[in-house]
Structures are given as C-alpha cells and as structure tokens.
Amino acid sequence: MSKKYCYLFTEGNANMRELLGGKGANLAEMTNIGLPVPQGFTITTEACTQYYEDGQKINDGIFAEIMEYIEKMESITGKKFGDHENPLLVSVRSGARASMPGMMDTILNLGLNEDVVDVIAKKSNNPRWAWDCYRRFIQMFSNVVMGVDADLFENALTQARLVAGVRVDSELSAEDLQELVETFKGIFSDNVEATLYPELEVADGKPVFPHDPELQLRLAIQAVFGSWMNERACIYRKQHGISDELGTAVNVQAMAFGNKGET
C-alpha cells in the first residue's frame, strides 16, 4: 500500500496534527521529549476519509496495516494481543484535529475475554481487579461501540450492590463481579440487533459478546470513524465552520492500570 495509514507514537510529532489529530500529535510529541507515555500508534485521519469512501467499511489493506502495528506494539511492550500467557490490553480513543462534542468516548481494556481475564487474574494475584476490568470493558464496549443504553448496566450494577449488601462498587467481590459479567453479557445479547452486526457469533438467535480481540478492535475503530458523522459532531462543525472532509484519527494505546492494587 503506497499510502501510510498508521504511525507509532515514535514516528509522529506535534506538527502532524492534520494527519494524526490533536491527541495523536500530542502523544507523539510527549514520546519525543521522553515522557513515560504508554506506547501505541495512531490511525490517521486519511483512514477515516477512506472508510467513508469505501461505504463505511475498513478495507482489508488498511486493517492489515492496523494489525501490523498491533504486532509492533507487541514488540515494544513484550506482550501479545489476545495471548494466554502475557496478554496486551489496549485503549481505543478518537482524536480529531480539533476537540469537539459528539465524538466517541474512550474504550478501555480492549482485548479481554473469558480466557484472558483468567490469565490476568492469576498473573496479578488479584482476581477482583481482573473481573472488574472485564465488566467495565463489556459495559463500555456495549454502550459506546454498540449503542446499548448505559442505564441498563448501571441498574444491574446497583442491583448487584443490593444483593451483595454493599454500598460502593469497590466492595463487590471477585465472585460478585464474575456474576455481573454474565449479567452484562446478557444485556448485550438482549439489546444488540444481530442483523446489524453479521460479524458477531449468534446463539439462540441472539448475538454473543465478541470473544475475539481482533474483532473487538475492528468494531471499536469502526465506531470511532462512525462517530465523526454523528449528529452532535456534524452540528458542531457546521456552527464552527469545520469541514466534514477532515475525518478523525484513532489512537490505540497500551493500557496502564491505576486500579490494580492498593498503590
């Protein structure tokens, strides 16, 4: 492919805002000056433009390049995406040239599934943290990427606290959170229209929460690109004279955890 659609943070700089978006350019610049930024890569605004030219699809060439950059992240971090020994988890963020309302919220902990959550529970010796990461990921992915009503998850979380007899989420046990994960998966299956997402596995006529990290990543990136043309973003651009042709970048970054232990 003649055009380059992905840039490691080490390959960009602050002057590449039009191509890397505001977040991507700043992450690259912070990397350049030696700040301890969790490493990753930016998918360019031109990939977003191509997504719309291709009928709102990520073409095979661009997705192959994205997966090449996942492999580069694996080399940098020493972890592997979807691995059952030392798994790499990532965040996925939008990053337009100018910040605007309506753009997609961040997805954290992407790459988790039933196998990987067991691995990180054992490696960290902290199963509560692992299952909390997974329930948060299901909740974020279902709401932000698939459009499931966030209140359904919040209501289930409230019910879980009542059943467990605790006041705050942090008091839920690993077992409580494991049960909540199953509840959240059920909410996903009951509220996602299978015909809109033919990529998803179907069981008993209902879509199953995606197990494959590569599919999770594809759907999340599509959602970022899709958010560029949502109503709030379009209205904002019209009011501020920003062209619809510019597109948004996507930042894929290794996860850093602030909730892993007491410190």
Side-chain angles (χ1 to χ4, degrees), residues 115-206:
D115 299 320
V116 174
V117 74
D118 284 334
V119 173
I120 67 170
K122 290 172 184 172
K123 283 182 70 71
S124 66
N125 198 30
N126 190 345
R128 192 208 168 276
W129 165 74
W131 285 99
D132 192 41
C133 287
Y134 194 25
R135 74 93 184 163
R136 289 171 185 271
F137 170 57
I138 295 171
Q139 183 172 355
M140 281 185 280
F141 189 92
S142 300
N143 172 236
V144 176
V145 175
M146 313 301 278
V148 180
D149 186 351
D151 286 344
L152 295 172
F153 298 98
E154 289 301 323
N155 292 341
L157 186 55
T158 299
Q159 185 62 30
R161 289 197 302 267
L162 289 171
V163 170
V166 301
R167 291 191 304 164
V168 293
D169 299 348
S170 59
E171 294 175 340
L172 291 169
S173 69
E175 292 74 19
D176 296 331
L177 291 164
Q178 196 166 353
E179 289 180 18
L180 196 57
V181 160
E182 293 307 312
T183 301
F184 279 12
K185 285 189 205 170
I187 293 171
F188 175 93
S189 295
D190 289 339
N191 291 276
V192 171
E193 179 56 60
T195 57
L196 297 178
Y197 299 96
E199 313 97 319
L200 294 177
E201 179 187 345
V202 175
D204 299 323
K206 294 181 179 181

Side-chain angles (χ1 to χ4, degrees), residues 205-224:
K206 294 181 179 181
V208 177
F209 189 85
H211 181 273
D212 178 16
E214 191 171 316
L215 176 57
Q216 294 171 0
L217 182 63
R218 180 187 283 270
L219 290 170
I221 294 168
Q222 286 177 180
V224 175

Side-chain angles (χ1 to χ4, degrees), residues 73-134:
M73 276 186 74
E74 291 173 341
S75 296
I76 292 168
T77 62
K79 300 178 179 182
K80 288 188 70 67
F81 197 48
D83 192 50
H84 293 173
E85 292 184 10
N86 193 19
L88 170 67
L89 303 181
V90 302
S91 63
V92 176
R93 290 179 169 85
S94 63
R97 302 176 202 193
S99 180
M100 66 184 68
M103 298 304 294
M104 196 186 92
D105 291 338
T106 300
I107 301 294
L108 303 176
N109 305 328
L110 192 143
L112 275 174
N113 57 33
E114 291 78 1
D115 299 320
V116 174
V117 74
D118 284 334
V119 173
I120 67 170
K122 290 172 184 172
K123 283 182 70 71
S124 66
N125 198 30
N126 190 345
R128 192 208 168 276
W129 165 74
W131 285 99
D132 192 41
C133 287
Y134 194 25

